[in-house]
Amino acid sequence: MIKKYLFLIYVLIAIVFSKEVIGQTKRIESDMGVLDYDALNAIFRNPKADSLKIKTLQLYLSQSKSRSDTLGMANTYFFLGYLVTKTKLQYADSLIELTKDKKYRNYPSKGYLLKGNTQYEFGNYKEALELYLIASEAAKNNNNEYLYRSIKFNIGLLKNNLGEGKEAQTIFLEHLNFLDQNPKFKNPSDYNRALFALADSYVAHLELDLAKIYIDKGIKETLRTNDISMYPQFVVRSGIYHYHAKNYRSAIDSLKKGKKLKEKKSGEKIRIAVCDYYIALSYDGYGDIEKSIEHFKNVDQTLKETEDIVPLLLKTYTHLITYYKSKNDVEQQLHYINTLLKLDSIRDSNQIYLTKNIIKRYDTVELISDKEELIAQLQEDQSLKKETIIILVTSLIAVLLIAIYGYRRGYVHKKRFLKLLDKAAQQDHNISGTPVVKKVSVDTISQETQDHLLDKLKEFEEKELYLKPNINSKDLAKKFGSNSSYLSLVVNTYKQKSISQYVSDLRIDYVVKKLQTDPKLRKYTIKAIAQEIGFNTSEVFAKAFYKRTGIYPSYFIKKLEKQTDSVDVN
């Protein structure tokens, strides 16, 4: 799933091809003939060169201005906004300023939508989200149900990109059902994009059976309706489906076909890079490493040229670094590591903002809107059934309980965090960082062997040898000059835990203190921290941290950062 680019495919054309102009557009006599919204739409969709379309629309804009035809100017601004990339924002602003006090069915909503799409394309997610909310409210106020649903569909795309697949799929299915039940709004372009949204979501969430249904249906519909803009998207998605289904040769065939179709259009570099990425994975899947690396290098070249950061494509560098590591080529390893660090640093806080606020801002607006409608309904119908009131009260109680649970959970985690800091401070008074346990007799092992192993364990702790990865009892016992049975018995007796738990606890105690004293470590990813202290995966590290401390490492780091910020401010 390509977050920014697939999103723009849906938004850009799904709204443009809308037929939702009933009773709105007045026909205007001009030297060009009678042109209304549908006529301008036909110019926009014409396969002629964009430069010719732009000249035609600019001429019509000039004539509309001379006649003081507000709606004619608004329609022209809208289509020019999608054709003239460099001045897209200016056209959007002109459209909003022209219609903000009007009550047209499509405007000013489409003006805010055009501007929101542009801000999203620039990576300004905060501004884009605010504009979508304004566009949604305007469409609802103007009783434009189709446009309102189209904007909601776009929010569904954002949810899908954020991993909220189930919620997004529900929105997409609702949109398809709406189009099926309202033929006057059902145009091929919009319908095909709704099919693609579902197919894309199902592929991304590896629901392959459902994905195949909508991919096959989408290919059939795009061929039937000659939808040349969406057909390549379904072909590429078919290739990604075959990759996940481990049909690698079929995947390569579909992806190369999709790539060839995309190379015919301008502005497709990142989408072509996605094709290369999955072609590379597919070659890797059946063992042709050299061809795999060739296509990963294509991805690398595109990312360097565009600096468009698609998180999925950054995984390319893991494969390139691993490949050159196997070749003992240090120079190439460093090159790709530096490239990855540079591209990763380009990411800004907009994605974080969107992740945190898409639910809070958009869903809250939706809930408030629903609440207002319920209140209006109650005022109109005082004979509301008792059962409905009970349901509403029950829902409010449920929301309250959820809120209480969230607050309680936060309180418990904060308490555990403070307790952990106190524990770490107390451990600083102990040289080894582990409790001193009084020796007891282990009948099956001589006292000399016990003392030897205890000395080795002390050295193991003091030299922080537990930070090495892949420690097991057999290898550790061998290094201690003993056997795993004796070592396990000594650790169980003196440390009151298994060897694996003993090593895990040492690592966690170490990283707790290290995170408090090393701000740089707090900037690492959870995965990087895990590898730094010997854990193989971030999941195992997170579970071990929670088991030892009662909180997760991400929460602990977040609280430490807040504590640091508070100190800096003071």
Side-chain angles (χ1 to χ4, degrees):
M1 179 179 60
I2 305 310
K3 294 189 175 181
K4 180 163 66 174
Y5 298 94
L6 288 181
F7 176 88
L8 291 174
I9 291 172
Y10 306 115
V11 175
L12 192 105
I13 305 175
I15 301 303
V16 170
F17 293 145
S18 165
K19 293 182 180 179
E20 181 64 16
V21 291
I22 300 171
Q24 172 190 182
T25 308
K26 61 182 182 179
R27 308 175 73 82
I28 301 172
E29 298 293 336
S30 71
D31 295 337
M32 301 172 64
V34 179
L35 295 180
D36 60 7
Y37 183 100
D38 287 326
L40 293 174
N41 188 19
I43 293 172
F44 179 86
R45 297 182 63 180
N46 194 294
K48 292 181 180 179
D50 284 352
S51 58
L52 293 176
K53 295 185 218 177
I54 291 169
K55 287 181 180 178
T56 304
L57 290 169
Q58 285 176 337
L59 176 59
Y60 182 68
L61 176 61
S62 177
Q63 293 176 347
S64 297
K65 288 180 177 179
S66 68
R67 293 183 173 89
S68 299
D69 174 22
T70 303
L71 191 53
M73 286 188 285
N75 288 330
T76 314
Y77 281 137
F78 178 70
F79 288 107
L80 281 171
Y82 282 109
L83 286 171
V84 188
T85 305
K86 292 183 179 179
T87 54
K88 188 181 293 186
L89 269 178
Q90 289 92 316
Y91 281 122
D93 286 333
S94 297
L95 177 52
I96 293 168
E97 183 64 28
L98 185 67
T99 62
K100 64 182 180 181
D101 297 322
K102 306 293 182 183
K103 287 293 183 179
Y104 295 129
R105 189 168 175 78
N106 280 333
Y107 306 115
S109 184
K110 281 191 176 181
Y112 289 112
L113 184 60
L114 174 61
K115 189 171 182 179
N117 295 343
T118 307
Q119 292 290 2
Y120 191 98
E121 186 176 358
F122 292 159
N124 301 325
Y125 302 121
K126 177 179 178 180
E127 291 83 353
L129 181 59
E130 295 296 332
L131 289 161
Y132 287 144
L133 295 172
I134 297 171
S136 175
E137 183 181 358
K140 205 166 190 177
N141 290 339
N142 290 339
N143 297 317
N144 192 332
E145 184 179 8
Y146 177 78
L147 188 54
Y148 169 75
R149 285 181 175 273
S150 296
I151 296 168
K152 186 174 181 180
F153 178 80
N154 297 339
I155 300 296
L157 299 173
L158 290 175
K159 284 179 172 288
N160 191 55
N161 290 338
L162 293 171
E164 298 172 28
K166 293 300 179 184
E167 293 181 32
Q169 288 158 16
T170 299
I171 293 174
F172 300 152
L173 285 169
E174 285 178 358
H175 196 68
L176 277 174
N177 290 335
F178 171 76
L179 295 176
D180 285 330
Q181 294 167 14
N182 296 271
K184 66 179 180 179
F185 298 133
K186 185 179 178 180
N187 65 76
S189 297
D190 195 8
Y191 193 75
N192 291 341
R193 277 153 188 78
L195 288 174
F196 180 70
L198 272 171
D200 178 52
S201 183
Y202 286 135
V203 169
H205 294 88
L206 300 181
E207 299 178 65
L208 299 184
D209 291 339
L210 289 170
K212 189 175 189 306
I213 291 172
Y214 285 96
I215 289 171
D216 291 345
K217 187 173 181 179
I219 289 175
K220 181 179 178 181
E221 284 294 312
T222 51
L223 288 173
R224 184 182 69 81
T225 58
N226 193 30
D227 188 345
I228 60 174
S229 66
M230 284 308 298
Y231 174 69
Q233 304 299 333
F234 281 104
V235 172
V236 171
R237 211 46 80 242
S238 175
I240 297 173
Y241 156 78
H242 281 299
Y243 163 72
H244 287 301
K246 299 184 179 180
N247 305 322
Y248 298 124
R249 294 191 182 275
S250 297
I252 291 170
D253 289 342
S254 293
L255 289 163
K256 284 187 173 180
K257 181 179 180 181
K259 179 182 176 182
K260 189 173 182 179
L261 291 169
K262 289 177 178 295
E263 286 174 339
K264 296 178 180 179
K265 298 176 64 178
S266 60
E268 295 279 334
K269 286 186 177 180
I270 286 296
R271 295 168 201 154
I272 291 170
V274 173
C275 294
D276 275 314
Y277 176 77
Y278 279 104
I279 291 171
L281 290 179
S282 299
Y283 273 124
D284 184 71
Y286 72 80
D288 195 335
I289 303 301
E290 296 304 322
K291 283 189 177 180
S292 172
I293 293 301
E294 177 186 332
H295 286 277
F296 278 132
K297 286 183 177 180
N298 290 344
V299 178
D300 165 58
Q301 188 62 35
T302 300
L303 292 177
K304 287 175 180 173
E305 288 176 5
T306 63
E307 292 192 345
D308 284 335
I309 309 307
V310 178
L312 171 72
L313 298 184
L314 290 181
K315 296 178 183 178
T316 290
Y317 294 99
T318 300
H319 295 274
L320 289 171
I321 293 166
T322 301
Y323 173 76
Y324 283 106
K325 186 176 182 180
S326 71
K327 299 288 186 180
N328 293 320
D329 191 331
V330 176
E331 184 177 346
Q332 287 297 319
Q333 288 181 65
L334 289 174
H335 169 73
Y336 287 116
I337 288 171
N338 288 332
T339 302
L340 175 58
L341 291 173
K342 177 185 175 182
L343 294 175
D344 197 49
S345 68
I346 294 173
R347 297 186 195 183
D348 56 27
S349 62
N350 281 322
Q351 183 64 31
I352 298 172
Y353 173 88
L354 186 60
T355 302
K356 291 181 178 178
N357 288 276
I358 182 67
I359 298 174
K360 186 184 297 182
R361 290 285 290 114
Y362 176 74
D363 289 355
T364 300
V365 168
E366 285 291 285
L367 288 173
I368 291 172
S369 176
D370 291 343
K371 175 186 172 183
E372 289 172 349
E373 289 178 2
L374 283 173
I375 293 172
Q377 184 180 346
L378 285 170
Q379 291 173 343
E380 292 174 4
D381 185 7
Q382 294 299 324
S383 60
L384 189 65
K385 293 182 180 180
K386 182 178 180 181
E387 291 82 359
T388 305
I389 296 174
I390 292 173
I391 291 173
L392 289 173
V393 172
T394 303
S395 299
L396 289 173
I397 292 173
V399 170
L400 181 61
L401 290 175
I402 292 170
I404 292 172
Y405 170 77
Y407 174 80
R408 172 63 181 169
R409 187 165 179 241
Y411 173 79
V412 170
H413 281 180
K414 183 177 180 181
K415 189 174 181 180
R416 289 175 178 174
F417 168 78
L418 294 174
K419 184 178 179 181
L420 183 57
L421 293 183
D422 289 339
K423 180 181 177 183
Q426 291 173 7
Q427 286 182 346
D428 285 339
H429 297 291
N430 187 303
I431 296 175
S432 68
T434 58
V436 178
V437 180
K438 184 180 179 181
K439 295 184 180 181
V440 296
S441 175
V442 182
D443 296 335
T444 57
I445 309 176
S446 68
Q447 189 62 48
E448 181 181 355
T449 299
Q450 293 179 50
D451 292 340
H452 169 73
L453 288 175
L454 287 171
D455 288 341
K456 288 293 183 181
L457 288 173
K458 182 178 179 181
E459 181 183 359
F460 177 73
E461 294 175 14
E462 290 175 346
K463 293 185 177 181
E464 299 175 347
L465 300 177
Y466 49 81
L467 298 179
K468 294 182 179 180
N470 302 318
I471 295 174
N472 60 64
S473 60
K474 185 177 180 181
D475 292 341
L476 194 59
K478 188 176 180 180
K479 289 180 181 179
F480 289 179
S482 183
N483 61 64
S484 58
S485 298
Y486 281 2
L487 179 60
S488 295
L489 188 56
V490 168
V491 171
N492 289 340
T493 302
Y494 288 86
K495 307 296 182 180
Q496 285 87 52
K497 60 187 75 173
S498 67
I499 291 178
S500 60
Q501 189 62 53
Y502 166 65
V503 172
S504 177
D505 288 351
L506 286 172
R507 290 171 174 172
I508 299 303
D509 291 344
Y510 168 85
V511 81
V512 165
K513 289 188 286 185
K514 190 71 173 176
L515 284 169
Q516 292 179 70
T517 58
D518 188 355
K520 291 183 179 179
L521 185 63
R522 296 200 290 267
K523 303 299 182 184
Y524 285 20
T525 64
I526 297 299
K527 182 178 180 180
I529 295 173
Q531 293 174 344
E532 188 80 6
I533 62 172
F535 289 99
N536 291 327
T537 68
S538 56
E539 290 81 4
V540 173
F541 166 55
K543 288 180 180 178
F545 195 100
Y546 185 88
K547 184 176 180 181
R548 181 68 168 166
T549 67
I551 57 177
Y552 285 102
S554 56
Y555 178 85
F556 183 65
I557 293 169
K558 180 180 177 182
K559 295 296 288 184
L560 286 175
E561 287 295 291
K562 283 188 176 180
Q563 196 176 64
T564 302
D565 291 343
S566 176
V567 171
D568 291 342
V569 170
N570 292 335

